[in-house]
Amino acid sequence: LTMPSGSLTDFNGDNPVQVANAGNTSGDGYAYPDLIAINGDSLDGYYLEFDPDGDGAGNYLTADPLATPTPAGGTDWKNWTIATAQVPSGTAMYLWDSSTGALYLWEDLAYNMGTGAFSYTQYVVADGSTATWNKGATLTLQAADINGDGVPDLWTVGASGLATAYLATPGSGTATLAAQPAQALLTATHTWALNDGTSGAATAAADTTGTPALNAAGSGNATWNTGDLFSPDVTFDGANSVLASSGPAV
């Protein structure tokens, strides 16, 4: 989950280092999700932060810097990577320290809007000492219920472009992850970033990876747009807006 720069600046004037979807952790039940983040800097230190939604798109209330320690009991939040998933029991979050190989799963995330108390149920996957998980690796994490059993699982994508699914089995205070066969991500044959202009009619969009390039031409009411999440982009009116290549891409 990515937010426009500055929209979640906290009381220290810092922008979050990482932001993740916290679902209905506040219990308010709004249509828009709460957020959980790792924030801070070298001067103020790093900390876990909760950003409750105020019942509106982009309408987030004052962020609460939590006193919650890392799963290892420290304050070195800058070393941790977080990834969340929404499951029937609520928001679940994986926390990984690549420098030690520690990996933890927090389930049932809850934030009391009245008292500011933050709670969760912790499962140890690897403590980084007696057991490690992908220590020193360069990975992108994505949490999801991959096999639909109501348990939060984990995806990893490595620098080599290999994606691996890990299916989780929680136990009594611990959890195990069973790695599935890795799959190679396909590289794009054609790519249209749709960021070729900032205003006026969207008359052309370049193919940035195709060989030969299969550029697209615009017609109708397709227009360039700025200010949204992926700025610039293209606005289509749903009736008479077209960006089409001269030949088939597939």
Side-chain angles (χ1 to χ4, degrees):
L1 177 65
T2 305
M3 296 294 293
S5 178
S7 63
L8 290 179
T9 300
D10 72 358
F11 68 100
N12 285 323
D14 296 320
N15 287 320
V17 179
Q18 298 176 59
V19 180
N21 183 345
N24 187 33
T25 296
S26 66
D28 285 334
Y30 295 143
Y32 304 94
D34 302 317
L35 302 175
I36 194 164
I38 292 176
N39 209 336
D41 56 28
S42 58
L43 178 63
D44 302 310
Y46 293 87
Y47 42 87
L48 193 65
E49 182 175 87
F50 185 73
D51 298 272
D53 182 70
D55 197 17
N59 181 24
Y60 287 94
L61 306 179
T62 302
D64 183 7
L66 305 172
T68 306
T70 69
T75 59
D76 59 332
W77 278 106
K78 66 178 180 179
N79 295 331
W80 292 80
T81 299
I82 59 174
T84 61
Q86 304 305 311
V87 292
S89 62
T91 300
M93 181 166 69
Y94 280 94
L95 306 96
W96 176 51
D97 182 349
S98 64
S99 66
T100 65
L103 180 67
Y104 290 77
L105 170 61
W106 289 0
E107 286 198 295
D108 309 315
L109 267 61
Y111 179 84
N112 188 306
M113 291 293 291
T115 65
F118 177 71
S119 63
Y120 53 88
T121 300
Q122 177 171 284
Y123 296 90
V124 182
V125 180
D127 62 8
S129 177
T130 59
T132 62
W133 185 84
N134 284 306
K135 181 178 179 179
T138 300
L139 298 174
T140 299
L141 303 187
Q142 177 67 55
D145 181 5
I146 297 172
N147 57 354
D149 63 355
V151 175
D153 305 306
L154 196 60
W155 284 105
T156 67
V157 179
S160 60
L162 289 178
T164 304
Y166 292 84
L167 302 182
T169 302
S172 179
T174 62
T176 58
L177 294 183
Q180 307 303 296
Q183 302 176 61
L185 296 179
L186 298 177
T187 57
T189 303
H190 298 282
T191 304
W192 298 269
L194 304 184
N195 62 357
D196 307 77
T198 57
S199 63
T203 58
D207 176 5
T208 58
T209 59
T211 305
L214 193 59
N215 298 324
S219 62
N221 299 324
T223 57
W224 298 112
N225 173 66
T226 59
D228 290 323
L229 179 57
F230 301 102
S231 181
D233 54 27
V234 179
T235 296
F236 298 92
D237 67 359
N240 183 30
S241 300
V242 176
L243 270 172
S245 59
S246 58
V250 179

